[in-house]
Amino acid sequence: MSECTHDCANCASKCSSAGEHPSLIEPQNHFSHVKRVIGVVSGKGGVGKSLVTSMLAVSMQRRGFQTAILDADVTGPSIPKIFGMDDRRVEGNAEGLMLPPMTKTGIELMSVNLLLEDPEAPVVWRGSMISGAVKQFWTDTAWNEVDYMFVDMPPGTGDVPLTVFQSLPVDGILIVTSPQELVSMIVTKAVKMARMMNIPVLGLIENYSYLVCPDCGKKISVYGESHIAKVAMEQHLPVLAQIPIDPRLPALCDKGIIELMENDYLDATAEMLSKMKEHQ
Ligand code: ADP
């Protein structure tokens, strides 16, 4: 991989100054001032990436930061439902830019499901259409002042996540895994992709780590012993959270009231994020 894929203005490399590799990063429009972009990635669907993205946005908004979510998981866009917004539709401003609907606590949200007439209709698009839509969510949305934007990335390390990483000025990525997966391989792939783009990996979040017995309080490793600590050590990454299987979480998502969550699962992650510098 010889091509520069990152925003050279934001890293220590000399690519752009040497005139060799123009940045592929799409500029923000003049309504948007997004200060930090965090990509949330996973190896496959169903590991809880959208839920983690949503809970992180809630945590950061609670800490007083203006937060936004760009739902780039176009073929499985579950974020609007988690916030009880699946009946909301995007409106435009006088300049033809999309205005991101706000959740009850003021988190800005953009998702393909807020554009579709029937949010239950499947999105059967080719990869290029998906990445085009995600790019447009970035360039054609009037995002206003945003301290933290979380991008719910499509699962895997294929074409679409690659294009999204090339087009958006991602400041760091969080990798969400579950104990059933081939964690070592998934993390290694995601780390390699991030390094190719010169994007720092901020840490690992393990979901479905354990179940707390409601009778005795004992932690049960439903999927066997976790390998996350070993993998994290090999890759020199921190484990930022180990989230239990918690039946209250899908209940909150189904009712669209994730903003009422009461847990500290992502406190350490939010603490780390709140110390991140702005990229511009
Ligand atoms: P992904 O975005 O990775 O495809 P989701 O965030 O949509 O996954 O999660 C898949 C399903 O699992 C959802 O119904 C979600 O509410 C549920 N879920 C995720 N994490 C947990 C958890 N820790 N405890 C219980 N249910 C969870």
Side-chain angles (χ1 to χ4, degrees), residues 19-34:
E20 283 175 24
H21 309 303
S23 168
L24 299 173
I25 301 282
E26 301 278 346
Q28 299 188 45
N29 60 65
H30 62 273
F31 289 95
S32 301
H33 186 212
V34 180

Side-chain angles (χ1 to χ4, degrees), residues 210-261:
Y210 57 91
L211 177 75
V212 178
C213 171
D215 295 326
C216 68
K218 193 176 157 206
K219 286 185 181 178
I220 305 162
S221 303
V222 179
Y223 299 109
E225 281 312 305
S226 162
H227 303 292
I228 196 82
K230 183 168 171 278
V231 174
M233 211 162 70
E234 283 164 8
Q235 297 289 342
H236 309 288
L237 293 171
V239 178
L240 296 167
Q242 289 189 284
I243 306 175
I245 299 171
D246 180 346
R248 289 169 300 185
L249 296 175
L252 290 171
C253 295
D254 287 348
K255 291 188 196 137
I257 51 171
I258 194 65
E259 285 158 296
L260 299 181
M261 72 178 195

Side-chain angles (χ1 to χ4, degrees), residues 42 44-52 73 76 78 82 152 207-208 243-247 249-251 253-254:
S42 68
K44 58 171 185 154
V47 300
K49 178 177 50 62
S50 303
L51 178 59
V52 167
D73 195 355
S78 45
I82 294 177
D152 187 8
N207 193 18
Y208 311 121
I243 306 175
I245 299 171
D246 180 346
L249 296 175
C253 295
D254 287 348

Side-chain angles (χ1 to χ4, degrees), residues 38 40 51-61 67 150 174 205 261 266 269-270 273:
I38 313 294
V40 185
L51 178 59
V52 167
T53 306
S54 305
M55 292 202 295
L56 277 173
V58 171
S59 300
M60 295 311 281
Q61 187 81 359
T67 304
F150 293 96
L174 296 166
I205 296 175
M261 72 178 195
L266 291 168
T269 315
L273 291 176

